[in-house]
């Protein structure tokens, strides 16, 4: 019987092979020399990427590579490894490398390196000219290399990523040549063979364009950082922490799976690897508490795929957005953070509802928790004491006006922390453990001390820069070293976290305290990465380098240090540390093969779009199909993302769809009165691209989860898709309500948006799942979804009650601007001409500045206007002005000018929404009581 149950379940070795075949290559040669060569090339690739990301080349003046030089080398490594580790067919040998694959690997590498080698001074001295001196005029050799290079790339794409991306690239490449023969709307003049070869392979418009540049400069370091962190043991640490904190709740293993996958997603760029990494442990645990095979797999799929929307890595898309949108990495992370967080909270709630519906229990805790009453009292007492100490010190310093300098602020923080720790020491000395548990909340203490310490660190860095000057970097390095050694010494006082066998029964969950404290040193490189990105605002590449450098140091030293502090034998620990480092560097490079190939192949599609102008054709087609309705445009975009995503990797799917449709959505939105920020559109495309990893029948993550659980992959995919509906809802919401992306909101407004959006997504989840307190009736689910919509978009109803704008005569634009409140925006609708001479209508916003007169405000905006035949006409926009950015141009006739009205607060609609929610709660609570009484009578009758 058990054999039948586990018939569809794969062994650990088979799961490793599954990940290898999709992510790192399924070939494992038995020849030691070949295996060493593959490992050596992968190691060299990682070292090369670390070198070019570091400041060392600029310090020594040796080995400095420009982005144009580094991209061919990056692709050469990816192509060489792709042909060696990915077999050509299912029947191809997996324990040896055929001669044909050696020839393809060498040929592909040579074609990629041609761009680097034949653009050097040495080649110019030998041949009389270099590649850069032949723009748009390739010679015969250039064309031959380009043709073979593209063919090699397409075959490597088929091997490493499957046929779909290769087919899509070939379709776009064919369209480039066959343009004159395309029907009607799609027809274009076509391009010569030489022009296509140059555009696609020799320029930076095609294969070696922005996408491959992002893979080279940014993505590799982050993937390598994640691989090193996992090799150090952080993956197991994250899983253990998640289980220790959440495993005791109803359906606890599933909730722990969500949290563990979220933490793993912070450093992972692959949903399939995430499923197998955390799923081998979490799926059997979920099965043990009552989840079916399909539901256990679906929870893991939904949480692992969502790991790709979690900053900072976001499956490489965050770095691509930086290049495509032209905003800073910090801005991308800020906009992506809130939707990712509330999506994960909603997934935890889905698991909670599923557990309630089936009456599941959690796993037994390591120790009994304090009662809820004492937990709340201790939390309140701890927070109050922290606020009292911090407030007292702050006002004391304010009284003496001593907080004017950073050094005095740092001193204030030090005094606060000193008082807190002194008070804790006094409590330990004078009270027993039971009394401390009643008055001290560990969670509140950690949160409070961490917040205060963060301010202290910020002040400390300012003081350090002022005092240390040029030696600041060395001082910081010494302090980091001291902090790391101190953390390892502290962590060594707790038992080592062993890898558990997921198929063994769990008698008791690990104790949260020792579990969290045993791996605190893993958080140090993550904190360094976040600090460099968010506070120091270093480039993502340099931030990843410093975090990776610290991770390399940790891998080499953690085992000897732990052995020393635990009084164990040191022999072999240094060697083991170096072995783990080399393994991590090799794993990082092999994880990058697919991403490097995908970004290069997607470059063919992007190059075809830029060369043929098919983007404007697609815009016309989408506009015709949608009849200008922005909602229909979004639905078509979502469907296209899902279809392409069925075969394309997430990164390639994002590149293709965003390059094709993102500008279309922005332009058509502007023509239909909706100003859509470009970052919202790019996130919209990205979200639906990752949904494709879930969606049947080709959702690869669902197949991976089914392989772990032994369930049916199609059913697993459908359940996972249903669980992921909240991820499909969010993109539509943040297109129409950009507050969710924290665009133009204050910190206080951002906190309110977070609370309301979280409540709304939970209510939507309850409505979609058909379960709130008890199983919902159909009309109750509809009401819950209506309540969620109202909380997400209260402005939708308020605009029906009170118009947000009122019309004024466009000729009074200066008087209107002068009378308007600074900081508000006027909405202008103009008649214009598109790129091909067809008339269009555009809607644009005119911000109201704080200049004294309307004429000066119009001038500051950069818009020139004049009156003609009783109408206001644009006379152009100043160069690089806000008016030019908004889309104003010559000879645009104003059709209308609208001024914002004093509309009542849209949040008023929260009141009826909350009342409706309360009514549903009362109705369902009454029904739950009746059901409980009925079950009690049935039990009595049965007894």
């Amino acid at each position: 019987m058990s054999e039948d149950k586990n018939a569809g379940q794969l062994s650990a070795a088979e799961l490793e092979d599954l990940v290898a075949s999709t992510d790192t290559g399924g070939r494992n040669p038995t020849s030691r020399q070949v295996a060493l060569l593959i490992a050596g090339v992968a190691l060299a690739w990682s070292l090369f990427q670390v070198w070019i990301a570091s400041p060392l080349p600029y310090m020594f003046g040796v080995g400095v590579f420009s982005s144009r030089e580094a991209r061919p080398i990056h692709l050469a490594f990816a192509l060489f490894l792709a042909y060696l580790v990915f077999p050509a067919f299912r029947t191809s040998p997996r324990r040896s490398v055929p001669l044909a694959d050696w020839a393809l690997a060498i040929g592909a590498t040579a074609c990629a390196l041609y761009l680097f080698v034949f653009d050097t001074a040495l080649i110019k001295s030998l041949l009389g000219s270099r590649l850069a001196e032949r723009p748009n005029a390739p010679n015969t050799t250039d064309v031959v290399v380009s043709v073979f290079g593209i063919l090699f790339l397409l075959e490597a794409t088929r091997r490493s990523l499957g046929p779909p991306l290769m087919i899509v690239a070939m379709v776009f490449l064919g369209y480039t040549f066959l343009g004159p023969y395309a029907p009607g709307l799609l027809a274009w003049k076509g391009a010569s063979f030489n022009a296509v070869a140059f555009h696609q392979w020799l320029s930076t418009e095609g294969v070696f364009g922005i996408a491959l540049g992002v893979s080279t400069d940014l993505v590799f370091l982050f993937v390598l950082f994640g691989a090193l962190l996992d090799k150090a043991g952080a993956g197991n640490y994250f899983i253990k922490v998640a289980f220790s904190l959440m495993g005791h709740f109803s359906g606890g293993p599933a909730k722990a799976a969500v949290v563990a996958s979220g933490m793993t997603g912070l450093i992972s760029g692959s949903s399939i690897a995430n499923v197998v990494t955390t799923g081998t442990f979490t799926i059997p645990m979920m099965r043990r508490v009552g989840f079916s095979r399909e539901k256990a797999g679906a929870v893991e799929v939904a949480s692992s795929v969502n790991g790709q929307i979690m900053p900072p890595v976001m499956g490489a898309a965050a770095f691509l957005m930086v290049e495509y949108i032209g905003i800073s990495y910090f801005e991308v992370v800020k906009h992506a953070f809130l939707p990712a967080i509330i999506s994960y909270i909603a997934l935890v709630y889905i698991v909670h509802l599923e557990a309630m519906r089936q009456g599941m229990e959690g796993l037994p805790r390591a120790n009994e928790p304090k009662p809820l009453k004492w937990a709340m009292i201790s939390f309140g007492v701890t927070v109050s004491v922290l606020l009292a100490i911090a407030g007292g010190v702050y006002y004391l310093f304010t009284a003496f006006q001593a907080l004017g300098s950073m050094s005095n602020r740092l001193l204030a923080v030090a005094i606060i922390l000193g008082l807190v720790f002194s008070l804790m020491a006094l409590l330990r000395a004078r009270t027993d453990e039971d009394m401390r548990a009643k008055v001290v909340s560990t969670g509140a203490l950690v949160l409070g001390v961490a917040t205060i310490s963060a301010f202290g660190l910020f002040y400390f860095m300012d003081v350090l820069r002022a005092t240390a000057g040029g030696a600041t970097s060395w001082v910081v390095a010494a302090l980091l070293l001291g902090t790391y050694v101190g953390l390892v010494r502290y962590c060594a006082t707790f038992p080592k976290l062993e890898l558990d066998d997921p198929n063994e029964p769990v008698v008791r969950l690990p104790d949260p305290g020792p579990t969290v404290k045993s791996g605190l040193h893993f958080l140090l490189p993550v904190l360094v990465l976040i600090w460099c990105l968010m506070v120091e605002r270093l480039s993502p590449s340099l931030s990843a380098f410093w975090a990776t450098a610290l991770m390399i140091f940790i891998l080499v030293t953690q085992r000897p240090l732990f052995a020393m502090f635990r009084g164990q034998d040191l022999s072999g620990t240094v060697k083991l540390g170096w072995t783990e480092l080399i393994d991590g560097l090799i794993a990082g490079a092999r994880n990058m093969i697919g991403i490097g190939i995908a970004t290069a192949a997607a470059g063919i599609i992007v190059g075809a779009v830029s060369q043929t102008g098919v983007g404007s054709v697609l815009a016309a087609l989408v506009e015709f199909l949608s009849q200008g309705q922005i909602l229909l445009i979004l639905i078509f975009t979502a469907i296209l993302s899902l279809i392409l995503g069925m075969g394309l990797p997430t990164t390639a799917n994002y590149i293709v769809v965003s390059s094709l449709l993102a500008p279309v959505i922005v332009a058509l939105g502007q023509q239909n009165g909706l100003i859509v920020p470009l970052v919202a559109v790019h996130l919209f495309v990205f979200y639906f691209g990752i949904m494709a990893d879930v969606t049947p029948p080709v959702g690869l993550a669902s197949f991976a989860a089914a392989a772990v659980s032994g369930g049916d992959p199609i059913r697993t995919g459908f359940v996972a898709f249903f669980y992921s509906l909240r991820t499909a809802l969010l993109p539509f919401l943040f297109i129409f309500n950009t507050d969710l992306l924290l665009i133009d909101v204050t910190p206080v407004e951002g906190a309110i948006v977070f609370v309301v959006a979280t409540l709304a997504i939970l209510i939507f989840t309850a409505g979609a799942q058909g379960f709130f307190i008890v199983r919902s009736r159909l009309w109750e689910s509809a009401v819950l979804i209506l309540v969620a919509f109202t909380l997400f978009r209260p402005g939708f109803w308020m605009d029906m009650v009170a118009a947000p704008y009122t019309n004024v005569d466009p000729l009074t634009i200066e008087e209107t601007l002068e009378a308007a409140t600074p900081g508000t925006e006027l909405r202008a609708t103009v008649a214009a001409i598109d790129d091909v001479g067809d008339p269009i209508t555009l809607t644009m916003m005119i911000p109201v500045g704080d200049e004294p007169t309307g004429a000066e405000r119009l001038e500051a905006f950069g818009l020139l206007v004049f009156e003609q035949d009783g109408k206001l006409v644009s006379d152009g926009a100043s160069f690089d002005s806000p008016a030019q950015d908004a889309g104003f141009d010559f000879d645009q006739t104003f059709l209308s000018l609208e001024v914002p009205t004093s509309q009542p607060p849209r949040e008023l609609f929260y009141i009826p929404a909350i009342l409706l929610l309360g009514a549903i709660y009362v109705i369902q609570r009454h029904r739950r009581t009746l059901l409980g009484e009925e079950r009690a009578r049935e039990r009595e009758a049965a007894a």
Side-chain angles (χ1 to χ4, degrees), residues 261-402:
S261 295
M263 289 191 289
T264 307
L266 288 170
I267 56 172
S268 170
S270 167
S271 55
I272 297 165
N274 202 347
V275 165
V276 175
T277 302
T278 56
T280 48
F281 188 76
T282 58
I283 289 175
M285 301 280 269
M286 285 188 266
R287 295 272 298 114
R288 200 167 296 135
V289 295
F291 280 85
S292 68
R293 294 179 187 276
E294 285 74 24
K295 287 186 176 178
V299 169
E300 181 57 46
V301 169
S303 52
S304 292
V305 168
N306 266 220
Q308 292 205 55
I309 67 174
M310 182 67 72
V313 177
M314 292 173 61
F319 313 115
L320 290 161
M321 286 182 198
V322 169
E323 296 295 326
Y324 287 154
I325 305 174
I327 60 176
S328 70
Y329 177 81
F330 175 81
E331 289 292 315
V332 171
V333 170
K334 184 185 82 171
H335 297 320
F337 181 72
L338 183 57
I341 289 294
I342 64 175
S343 181
Y344 263 107
I345 292 172
L347 185 54
V348 172
Y349 187 55
I350 286 175
V351 169
H352 176 71
L353 293 176
E354 196 68 56
M356 284 180 61
R357 181 185 291 161
Q358 299 187 31
M360 297 179 189
E361 295 182 356
L363 297 171
R365 298 183 70 146
N367 47 39
E368 284 301 314
K370 67 179 80 171
L372 180 61
K373 178 182 76 173
W374 285 111
M376 296 187 71
I377 290 173
S378 64
F379 188 88
V381 169
T382 306
V383 171
S384 300
V385 171
L386 285 170
L387 289 175
I389 293 173
V393 172
Y394 175 81
Y395 285 113
L396 179 65
F397 271 71
T398 302
F400 289 97
Q401 296 181 342

Side-chain angles (χ1 to χ4, degrees), residues 349 353 356 766-767 770-784 916-932:
Y349 187 55
L353 293 176
M356 284 180 61
F771 194 97
F772 185 36
I773 296 174
V774 293
R775 192 177 298 277
S776 300
R777 297 193 172 104
L778 193 60
W779 70 269
E780 291 173 335
S781 292
V783 170
L784 287 172
L916 271 175
L917 179 65
I920 297 294
Y921 176 81
V922 170
I923 291 168
Q924 292 207 0
R925 186 174 180 181
H926 177 66
R927 192 157 72 244
R928 185 178 66 176
T929 304
L930 294 177
L931 286 170

